[in-house]
Amino acid sequence: MQSSNATVTVTLYQELAWGSAKAFRTFVPPHQDRIPITWHTAPYTLVQFIPYTFMSYLVRRPHTHLIRLLLLPTLITSALHSSYGYVWLDPRHNVYNWGAALFSFVLIGKGIDLALARTGRHKKGEDVPGTVSTPAIAAQNNSDAPAADASARKRQCTALLPLWLQDAVEFMFSLRGLGWDFGEGLVPGVGDPFGGSIFFPNLPLPTRYLVSTAIHVLTGIALVSGFYMVYDLITLLAVAVLGHSPSSWPPVMDNPWAAQSLHEFWAKRWHQLLRQTFLVFGGIPGRKMGGDVGLVLGTFLASGLYHECTILAMGCEWDSRVPLFFLLQGGSLIGERIWKKVTGRRVDGFLGRLWVYFDIIILGQPLVDAWHRRGLGGGMVIPPEISPARLVIIPAIRKLMA
């Protein structure tokens, strides 16, 4: 009897697995069974916009939570079939297949958010969804648009669409959430000029440090990109206007993420713009007092004091974590020298890269937290008032569209 029951269970499981696979292949067929995209079939790839538009309309209306939940499977299946059920056959257009799949998952993510938003989605300052008719961006307090930019308070082509559809379309294409409730509060204080910590005590420890690590890495990427941007702009000016030789302006960094030792990171791959400054302030005096060890520790102590003393000009309080981080880097470099003397091998390879990432990404989090707490993450590097795009390009586009 037990054997019979086991057989029935296995058979039922197989039937469920077969049925699930058939259902999945209905919406995501094998590549060879996908329908070629032609002028006749192309409109079917846009079917996903029907439930997406309807859900965007519903999320701006009160008491629509249940119907949005019921509509979610339709959005998911139509998005999957629209991107995986059709195919561009020309190999040159194969990247379009990738783009369609990327876009479909954006819609699925948005759809899940719309379905789970119990009270709908609100614009800033809106108590009931759908009651504010002006664009959400008009209520964006932290917008970098000039205050006198009145165009933010009106929609383009308003005569062509009814108000309810304008509202839905505005929400549909608001990916960053500027002026919306889902565009704030994800990482409170981080990226704000008033500051906020990258560590959230209300989160469980694993999640807390996962979030802080993600913020730390993104901060590093933004920092490196900022160095590249400013240096490249200056290089362009020097070469194109002042007639400098391009060889006079070598790259400011050498892919710091590829470093396999801290010595390689700090001596070669990180920028050397302030090398002499730190040697003068700390490295040379340190060498006179403590030899090579004093040179290393003095240089990094000078770097730490440089980064911390200058932030006091912002009216911030002293944070010892900044100079301590740089001193730890000096100590880690000395540790690499000791390792080489003891083992006869340099720090390098995959383990060396992990060592670099530990020092920079793990030990560096208190440093980045000290910066974010004091609002450096919300600082403005290039004012919008001198932006060529805002002064010339955007006004020209608006005139053409008017």
Side-chain angles (χ1 to χ4, degrees):
M1 187 69 179
Q2 292 179 348
S3 176
S4 175
N5 288 339
T7 302
V8 171
T9 302
V10 171
T11 302
L12 180 60
Y13 171 78
Q14 290 177 336
E15 289 182 354
L16 289 174
W18 179 84
S20 299
K22 288 288 288 183
F24 176 76
R25 284 306 181 187
T26 300
F27 304 108
V28 185
H31 190 81
Q32 65 272 15
D33 295 335
R34 295 169 68 177
I35 301 171
I37 295 179
T38 64
W39 286 108
H40 177 71
T41 61
Y44 294 101
T45 65
L46 305 177
V47 168
Q48 55 193 331
F49 278 98
I50 297 176
Y52 181 50
T53 303
F54 189 32
M55 288 189 73
S56 298
Y57 163 75
L58 291 173
V59 82
R60 296 290 295 142
R61 297 294 178 268
H63 313 300
T64 59
H65 184 221
L66 179 58
I67 191 171
R68 283 184 274 116
L69 285 173
L70 295 173
L71 191 59
L72 178 60
T74 302
L75 173 59
I76 294 176
T77 53
S78 62
L80 287 174
H81 189 66
S82 295
S83 56
Y84 288 97
Y86 301 86
V87 63
W88 293 86
L89 293 179
D90 190 332
R92 296 172 301 175
H93 299 157
N94 197 25
V95 68
Y96 296 168
N97 297 318
W98 180 46
L102 289 171
F103 185 69
S104 72
F105 277 93
V106 171
L107 288 194
I108 291 172
K110 290 275 287 185
I112 293 173
D113 176 69
L114 299 181
L116 298 181
R118 184 174 295 274
T119 60
R121 282 301 179 195
H122 302 70
K123 297 178 181 178
K124 287 184 178 180
E126 190 177 52
D127 295 325
V128 179
T131 56
V132 174
S133 59
T134 56
I137 189 63
Q140 175 70 8
N141 295 329
N142 293 328
S143 173
D144 59 357
D149 189 359
S151 63
R153 302 192 60 84
K154 62 180 182 180
R155 296 190 180 96
Q156 305 297 324
C157 306
T158 54
L160 302 178
L161 302 174
L163 185 60
W164 65 267
L165 187 54
Q166 294 177 35
D167 200 42
V169 170
E170 179 191 354
F171 181 83
M172 286 168 61
F173 297 100
S174 177
L175 298 179
R176 292 187 293 171
L178 299 179
W180 295 90
D181 58 352
F182 69 93
E184 61 180 2
L186 296 179
V187 189
V190 176
D192 190 290
F194 298 102
S197 176
I198 68 173
F199 302 109
F200 299 96
N202 58 317
L203 295 177
L205 279 178
T207 307
R208 183 188 312 172
Y209 290 106
L210 182 64
V211 171
S212 67
T213 301
I215 297 173
H216 178 84
V217 171
L218 291 173
T219 301
I221 293 173
L223 191 64
V224 171
S225 300
F227 270 111
Y228 280 127
M229 177 191 70
V230 174
Y231 184 84
D232 289 347
L233 288 173
I234 296 174
T235 300
L236 180 64
L237 176 66
V239 174
V241 179
L242 303 180
H244 288 200
S245 169
S247 61
S248 301
W249 294 86
V252 69
M253 295 193 193
D254 184 15
N255 190 14
W257 302 102
Q260 296 182 358
S261 70
L262 282 176
H263 180 270
E264 180 185 359
F265 180 88
W266 290 114
K268 176 185 177 183
R269 296 192 177 275
W270 194 250
H271 76 84
Q272 304 297 305
L273 302 176
L274 301 175
R275 176 178 179 272
Q276 191 63 22
T277 301
F278 299 150
L279 284 173
V280 169
F281 282 137
I284 296 174
R287 188 169 194 172
K288 292 184 178 297
M289 292 185 290
D292 290 343
V293 172
L295 169 67
V296 174
L297 293 179
T299 300
F300 278 93
L301 177 60
S303 177
L305 293 175
Y306 169 85
H307 285 88
E308 183 57 25
C309 290
T310 50
I311 202 175
L312 298 180
M314 296 173 57
C316 302
E317 295 183 357
W318 178 271
D319 195 322
S320 299
R321 294 179 297 173
V322 176
L324 178 60
F325 164 77
F326 287 98
L327 268 179
L328 285 174
Q329 295 304 296
S332 296
L333 278 172
I334 295 171
E336 288 190 356
R337 291 187 180 182
I338 295 174
W339 170 265
K340 184 179 179 181
K341 287 185 177 181
V342 172
T343 66
R345 295 179 298 172
R346 291 182 176 180
V347 175
D348 61 4
F350 176 72
L351 293 179
R353 185 167 296 173
L354 289 181
W355 160 249
V356 173
Y357 286 2
F358 171 78
D359 268 271
I360 302 300
I361 296 177
I362 303 302
L363 298 184
Q365 290 193 28
L367 164 74
V368 170
D369 183 63
W371 285 345
H372 276 296
R373 278 181 178 271
R374 294 177 288 183
L376 283 181
M380 182 184 297
V381 179
I382 300 178
E385 292 79 7
I386 64 173
S387 167
R390 291 186 179 278
L391 292 175
V392 180
I393 299 176
I394 295 178
I397 294 175
R398 285 175 176 165
K399 286 183 179 181
L400 291 173
M401 295 179 61

